[in-house]
DNA sequence: GTGCCAGAGTGGTCCGACCACCAACGGGTG
DNA sequence: CACCCGTTGGTGGTCGGACCACTCTGGCAC
C-alpha cells in the first residue's frame, strides 16, 4: 500500500508528512534543530526545492521556524504557535461568516471571562485594570481594546483557549468595530461594558463576569448585524446583482436567543 | 517606508502578503483562477521558486488550492477551508494541552448542542439518529463517533463553529479515548451519553441538550485526567526525568466546576 | 584575558530544464 | 450533423546547480 500511495502522492506532501511523523514520535522534539535542508532532502530522497516547500508548509502551520544562516528548528509546539495561522479566518472573512465568528465568541468569551474571574490572581487583575485605563485614555484605542480582551482570556491559564479566542478576534475587525461605534456615538456603551467586566473580575464573581461578557459580545454582534443589513440594502437598491457569487455558506447565521428575535 | 520594509523582508513573505492583499480587496475572488506561477512571479518580480513557496504557504492556510496541469485557484474561503489547518493542534499536542483542548470543547459543545436542538430540521436529526445506530452497530466505532458529533455541530448551521469544533477533535484523539474507555469497560457510559443527547435533540430541548453534552465532554475529560495522572506516576517511579521538556504551558489546566473539585 | 575578524556552514533566492497532467481544439467516424 | 477520441499546448510538479545573505565559531591580534 505504501508504494502505491507514494506513487501518486506529491513528493512535497510526502516530505511534510514524514517530518510530522518524526515530530509526533519524538525523533524531533520541541526546540530541536533539524538537519540542514540539504541533508534532509538527501535523506528523504527529494530535491532541495521540494524539501524547502515542505518546510515552508510546516512553518506556515507553526510547527517549524527557520533562522537565516542558523538552521531550521521545531517550535515549542505551544497552542499559540500552532493556532496563529487561523487568524486568516477573521482577516479574509466577510459578511455572514463574521457573524458566525461572533457567535462562536459568544460561546467562548463568557465562559472564559467567568473562568478568569475565578482563577486570575491579583497581579493579573491589576494588569487588566491598567489596560482598561489605556482604552479610556484614548490613545491607540483599538490595540488597547484588543489587549484588554486578550489579557482576560490569558488570565484563565488556558493557553489553548487564549489562542483560539485570539484567532477569532483580528485587529482589522476590531478596527472596524470601533470605527463603526464611534460613528454611531456608541463608544460610551463599549466603555461601560468593559468596566462592568472589570468590576466582575475584581469581585471574583464568575456569574457577573459571564453576564457582562455576553452583553458585550452581543452588543458588537447587534452592531455588525445592522451594518451588514445596511450594506445589503444598498446593494439591493443598486441592482439585483447577477453574480452574488456565494455558492455555499448558506443562511445568514441566525441565533436562538433574544438578540436574534429582536432582529426579526 | 515601503522600500525600507521591503529591503529586509524575505521575498517569499512579501509575495504571500501581496496575494493575500489582492484577495482581501477583491482582485482575486473565491473560486477565481490565478495567473500562472510564471506570470505571477514575473508580475511580483520574484523567481518562480519563491513564488511557489508563497503559493505553498497559502495552500497550507487553505486560501489557495492548486490543480496539477490546470492552474491555481482561490478556494471558496469557507471557514472549513481556512480552519482545516488547525487540526495539527490536536494531532501534535500531548498531556496538559489536550486537557486545555477539552476545556475549550466543554465551552463549545454544550452551547452548540443546545443550538442544534433549537435549529436542526427533521432530516438532520434523523441523520444523526442513523449515525447513532452506526456507533452502536459497533463497526468503525471511532469514525462513527466522530461523525455523530460533527453532524450535531453541523446542524447548528454555523459553519465556523463546526470547523472550529472539528479542529479540536482529531481522529487520533478519539481513537485513544475509545480504546481507553473500552479498556476500562466504560463504553456503555459513552453510549448512554450519546442517546441522552439524541433524545434531547428529538425533544427540541436546548437545556437538556446542553446538559447532556456537558456531561459527555466531562466524562472524557475525567478519563483523560486520570490517564495523564497515571502516566505521570509511572514516570515518577522510574526516574525523576531530567528533561520533562515543557518550558512553558504552565499549570495542568484546572477547572472551576465540580469536576475539578472532585479531582483534588 | 578580551576583542575582533575571517572562514565555514546555513538558509534565501534565482535560473533553466524536464516531467506529469489537464483541457480544449481538432479531425475522424457514426 | 453530432459525437468520440487523440493530439497538442499550457500548466503545475520536480529536479539540480549556482550564487547571495546571514550566523556562528574559532583563532588571531592586542
Amino acid at each position: 500500500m505504501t508504494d502505491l500511495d507514494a506513487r501518486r502522492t506529491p513528493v512535497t506532501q510526502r516530505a511534510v508528512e514524514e517530518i510530522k511523523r518524526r515530530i509526533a514520535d519524538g525523533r524531533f522534539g520541541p526546540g530541536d534543530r533539524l538537519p540542514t535542508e540539504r541533508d534532509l532532502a538527501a535523506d528523504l530522497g527529494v530535491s532541495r526545492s521540494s524539501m524547502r516547500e515542505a518546510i515552508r508548509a510546516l512553518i506556515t502551520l507553526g510547527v517549524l521556524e527557520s533562522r537565516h544562516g542558523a538552521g531550521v528548528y521545531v517550535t515549542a509546539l505551544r497552542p499559540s504557535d500552532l493556532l496563529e495561522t487561523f487568524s486568516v479566518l477573521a482577516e479574509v472573512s466577510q459578511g455572514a461568516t463574521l457573524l458566525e465568528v461572533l457567535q462562536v465568541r459568544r460561546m467562548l468569551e463568557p465562559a472564559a471571562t467567568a473562568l478568569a474571574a475565578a482563577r486570575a490572581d491579583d497581579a493579573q487583575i491589576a494588569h487588566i485594570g491598567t489596560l482598561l485605563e489605556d482604552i479610556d485614555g484614548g490613545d491607540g484605542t483599538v490595540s488597547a481594546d484588543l489587549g484588554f480582551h486578550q489579557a482576560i482570556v490569558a488570565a484563565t491559564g488556558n493557553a489553548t483557549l487564549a489562542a483560539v479566542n485570539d484567532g477569532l478576534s483580528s485587529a482589522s475587525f476590531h478596527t472596524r468595530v470601533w470605527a463603526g461605534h464611534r460613528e454611531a456615538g456608541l463608544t460610551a456603551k463599549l466603555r461601560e461594558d468593559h468596566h462592568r467586566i472589570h468590576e466582575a473580575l475584581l469581585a471574583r464573581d464568575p456569574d457577573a463576569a459571564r453576564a457582562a461578557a455576553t452583553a458585550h459580545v452581543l452588543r458588537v454582534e447587534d452592531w455588525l448585524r445592522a451594518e451588514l443589513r445596511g450594506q445589503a440594502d444598498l446593494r439591493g437598491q443598486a441592482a439585483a446583482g447577477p453574480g452574488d457569487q456565494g455558492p455555499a455558506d448558506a443562511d445568514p447565521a441566525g441565533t436562538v436567543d433574544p438578540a436574534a428575535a429582536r432582529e426579526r
Side-chain angles (χ1 to χ4, degrees), chain A:
Chain A
M1 181 176 71
T2 310
D3 283 24
L4 288 178
D5 276 6
R7 201 157 308 174
R8 290 296 171 189
T9 304
V11 180
T12 300
Q13 187 180 330
R14 264 188 291 159
V16 168
E17 276 154 18
E18 176 59 26
I19 296 179
K20 265 206 280 191
R21 193 174 312 129
R22 295 191 182 185
I23 291 176
D25 67 22
R27 271 181 283 178
F28 297 149
D32 283 358
R33 179 184 157 174
L34 264 58
T36 70
E37 293 180 346
R38 292 162 174 90
D39 290 350
L40 214 46
D43 185 12
L44 301 192
V46 304
S47 72
R48 193 185 159 206
S49 317
S50 301
M51 179 54 62
R52 276 187 60 78
E53 281 192 37
I55 291 175
R56 167 73 52 189
L58 288 167
I59 289 175
T60 304
L61 287 176
V63 172
L64 300 181
E65 63 183 327
S66 79
R67 306 174 200 164
H68 192 168
V72 178
Y73 294 78
V74 181
T75 67
L77 296 180
R78 288 178 307 236
S80 56
D81 295 323
L82 303 175
L83 293 182
E84 197 169 348
T85 80
F86 98 17
S87 58
V88 281
L89 177 69
E91 267 179 43
V92 181
S93 299
Q94 297 171 346
T97 300
L98 283 181
L99 272 181
E100 292 190 351
V101 170
L102 274 178
Q103 204 173 358
V104 176
R105 279 183 57 190
R106 202 171 72 218
M107 296 176 182
L108 284 181
E109 283 214 29
T113 308
L115 198 57
R119 297 180 52 192
D121 60 37
D122 293 338
Q124 286 171 323
I125 293 186
H127 178 229
I128 291 170
T130 307
L131 295 173
L132 189 56
E133 290 170 14
D134 289 350
I135 300 181
D136 293 347
D139 102 323
T141 314
V142 174
S143 64
D145 179 36
L146 210 54
F148 175 72
H149 288 288
Q150 288 180 355
I152 292 175
V153 184
T156 62
N158 185 327
T160 301
L161 174 60
V164 170
N165 200 72
D166 287 357
L168 295 175
S169 328
S170 81
S172 61
F173 179 65
H174 265 246
T175 304
R176 281 183 58 194
V177 171
W178 274 95
H181 277 74
R182 203 186 317 274
E183 199 173 299
L186 290 175
T187 47
K189 294 291 188 182
L190 291 180
R191 243 181 82 173
E192 200 178 310
D193 288 345
H194 290 151
H195 280 276
R196 215 190 309 269
I197 292 173
H198 184 227
E199 280 164 20
L201 293 179
L202 278 175
R204 310 278 185 181
D205 186 338
D207 287 335
R210 181 188 307 274
T214 302
H216 185 53
V217 179
L218 223 45
R219 187 186 305 285
V220 176
E221 193 176 328
D222 278 349
W223 165 80
L224 176 62
R225 208 184 296 273
E227 171 146 316
L228 290 178
R229 199 180 34 194
Q231 290 178 0
D233 287 350
L234 284 180
R235 274 204 303 275
Q237 288 176 0
D244 226 275
Q245 129 182 328
D249 251 353
D251 49 35
T255 343
V256 169
D257 52 40
R262 228 181 303 150
E263 214 48 39
R264 286 167 185 157

